[in-house]
Amino acid sequence: MLTIRSVPYLGRILAPSLAEAASKYLAAASWDRRRMLHTRVNEKTLFDYMSQGIDVNLKMGTPPETLLRRSNEYMKKAALHRLEKPDAPCLFQYGPEAGDLRFRQELSHFLSQEYMDPVQVDDIIVTAGATQGLAMLANLLFSPGDLVFVEDPTYFIGLQALRQDCGLHCVPVPMDENGIIPEELEQYLKERSSIKPREIGGRKPFWSMLYLIPTFHNPTGVCLSATRCRRVVQIARKYNLLVVCDDVYNLLAFSQDEESALQRKRLFAYDDPGDPDYSGNVVSNASFSKLFGPGLRLGWLEAPLCVRNVILSSGLAFSGGGLNHFTSGLMTSIISEGLLQKHLTEARAMYKVQCEAVCSVLQEKLPSAMFTIPEMLCSSVRKI
């Protein structure tokens, strides 16, 4: 993942805190969106207004049209494969609360291979994408006014969802070139540990949330080291935090060897149920949006039992059943027929070439810029 160091810390330059910087940015962005809403009724996608007259747009966190066309072809094949089966009409019915079992089985097998680490079927709950997953966790497990600790900087729209939509009070925690600083996090927790805005227990068992992007952090691109991952888990257990990990980029790493897999091991795997002090403090919130196409609105949680129980006994689950049941049925065929693996291989190769191009242009046209070159590119791009 490519990062220009001057950009992620822009909030600290423009304002004394992440919250103030984000508020100013979001206010401007919201005004821009409102101003353009009346002209967007005929647009086909969320980003049409950003793409007009632009050949290369680095603002959009979405797969390029080339890959989306391939997704379209794979989905056609998957639809024919799945809808010809005798039980296909079941896809039009309300689905099981946790999601279709066959889909979760295929997904757990696929993820176990990709992560090179076991993924349990029972841990998986299907969502309508990572944004919906975050909103669901925040609304079901926390109350307005609760604290949520976030990296400084963090994904600005995630911040908007937590603050504006869920009414949580965001506390920015400093980062360095290696990610969130555990010592700073614990100090912030100590200073606020006496704050108890509500009764803790029952359907709201956690005191606070830590919203984290531990792998290919947005916007800095860094991965949290194994040492820091273990320390964050220890802190979460000590202070009764739920760590919600935005794990949407993990599978896009250029390198797929065992060493690389260990470096980007998801934080959820460090919260080991075999530990004597285990209570289940980490959730992995992932999505197909960056892997296959955001229009699917399909994702998944890996969650501990205490979190799954709250979600699966909610009115949301009782009323609507499993989220995006039909689409998950088609994705079952995409995974089982090897189409997702093929698509990911193509996407990684394309992103690697594009990243090499960006690094080369920056070095040639903007030699004073400081940026980190992904390790997989060091042999082909001169490292500054």
Side-chain angles (χ1 to χ4, degrees):
M1 308 294 281
L2 175 67
T3 305
I4 300 177
R5 290 181 181 163
S6 59
V7 173
Y9 297 93
L10 189 59
R12 296 181 182 175
I13 298 172
L14 297 179
S17 70
L18 169 70
E20 184 179 345
S23 295
K24 290 182 178 181
Y25 182 91
L26 291 171
S30 297
W31 167 250
D32 183 58
R33 291 287 294 275
R34 289 196 301 270
R35 181 172 57 84
M36 303 190 71
L37 277 178
H38 71 282
T39 67
R40 297 184 59 193
V41 292
N42 295 320
E43 290 183 357
K44 296 180 180 179
T45 78
L46 179 66
F47 295 126
D48 283 2
Y49 77 101
M50 294 174 60
S51 305
Q52 297 172 3
I54 299 176
D55 293 327
V56 178
N57 193 328
L58 299 180
K59 290 183 179 180
M60 301 184 298
T62 180
E65 184 176 348
T66 303
L67 288 177
L68 295 180
R69 290 185 181 277
R70 293 176 184 174
S71 298
N72 182 58
E73 293 302 315
Y74 294 150
M75 185 59 80
K76 287 180 185 177
K77 295 179 181 179
L80 289 173
H81 178 269
R82 183 65 184 92
L83 297 179
E84 286 181 345
K85 294 186 179 297
D87 66 344
C90 292
L91 296 181
F92 296 90
Q93 185 54 273
Y94 290 104
E97 291 92 342
D100 180 72
L101 177 58
R102 288 171 60 187
F103 170 68
R104 292 188 295 123
Q105 288 172 335
E106 288 290 345
L107 180 61
S108 69
H109 178 69
F110 176 81
L111 292 176
S112 296
Q113 291 183 319
E114 289 296 317
Y115 289 152
M116 299 184 189
D117 188 67
V119 174
Q120 305 301 323
V121 175
D122 290 344
D123 290 341
I124 295 176
I125 293 180
V126 179
T127 69
T131 300
Q132 186 274 331
L134 176 63
M136 179 170 65
L137 291 166
N139 281 300
L140 290 179
L141 291 156
F142 298 93
S143 299
D146 282 0
L147 297 178
V148 53
F149 296 84
V150 301
E151 297 148 307
D152 185 5
T154 190
Y155 172 47
F156 69 97
I157 303 181
L159 192 66
Q160 179 184 16
L162 294 169
R163 294 178 63 219
Q164 177 179 297
D165 300 349
C166 303
L168 303 181
H169 178 64
C170 296
V171 180
V173 180
M175 294 177 60
D176 59 20
E177 64 275 9
N178 297 309
I180 194 169
I181 305 171
E183 294 76 18
E184 294 280 358
L185 172 63
E186 182 157 28
Q187 182 60 39
Y188 278 51
L189 289 166
K190 286 180 180 178
E191 293 171 357
R192 293 161 176 82
S193 60
S194 62
I195 300 175
K196 303 230 186 304
R198 57 168 170 80
E199 184 177 346
I200 299 169
R203 297 183 61 81
K204 297 185 185 295
F206 299 99
W207 170 65
S208 183
M209 178 199 295
L210 170 61
Y211 171 62
L212 205 61
I213 312 173
T215 305
F216 303 136
H217 176 265
N218 181 2
T220 70
V222 303
C223 292
L224 204 61
S225 68
T227 300
R228 288 195 178 185
C229 284
R230 293 188 185 95
R231 185 68 186 119
V232 167
V233 170
Q234 291 172 351
I235 292 171
R237 293 173 179 177
K238 180 178 179 180
Y239 291 91
N240 192 25
L241 297 180
L242 177 65
V243 186
V244 178
C245 299
D246 210 334
D247 284 339
V248 298
Y249 308 109
N250 301 43
L251 298 179
L252 293 175
F254 300 144
S255 175
Q256 295 301 306
D257 56 32
E258 291 187 12
E259 182 180 355
S260 173
L262 184 61
Q263 290 175 348
R264 54 188 168 80
K265 180 178 177 180
R266 66 207 190 288
L267 190 70
F268 181 81
Y270 288 94
D271 195 18
D272 188 352
D275 292 342
D277 59 342
Y278 173 84
S279 57
N281 292 83
V282 182
V283 173
S284 175
N285 182 25
S287 170
F288 287 100
S289 293
K290 313 302 182 185
L291 310 180
F292 197 83
L296 295 176
R297 304 317 309 144
L298 183 65
W300 67 92
L301 302 176
E302 280 183 89
L305 181 61
C306 59
V307 173
R308 300 199 309 270
N309 284 342
V310 172
I311 294 173
L312 298 180
S313 63
S314 67
L316 175 68
F318 279 163
S319 177
L323 294 168
N324 225 329
H325 184 52
F326 178 82
T327 304
S328 68
L330 300 188
M331 283 303 296
T332 303
S333 290
I334 285 178
I335 298 173
S336 66
E337 294 302 295
L339 300 178
L340 182 57
Q341 181 61 67
K342 182 178 180 182
H343 185 75
L344 261 181
T345 300
E346 295 169 340
R348 289 163 181 156
M350 177 178 291
Y351 291 146
K352 183 173 183 290
V353 170
Q354 291 177 341
C355 190
E356 288 173 338
V358 171
C359 289
S360 297
V361 168
L362 285 173
Q363 289 177 337
E364 179 182 352
K365 304 297 184 181
L366 200 62
S368 61
M370 296 177 61
F371 61 96
T372 302
I373 298 175
E375 291 182 5
M376 275 295 292
L377 302 184
C378 291
S379 59
S380 57
V381 179
R382 178 176 56 85
K383 189 172 183 179
I384 295 179

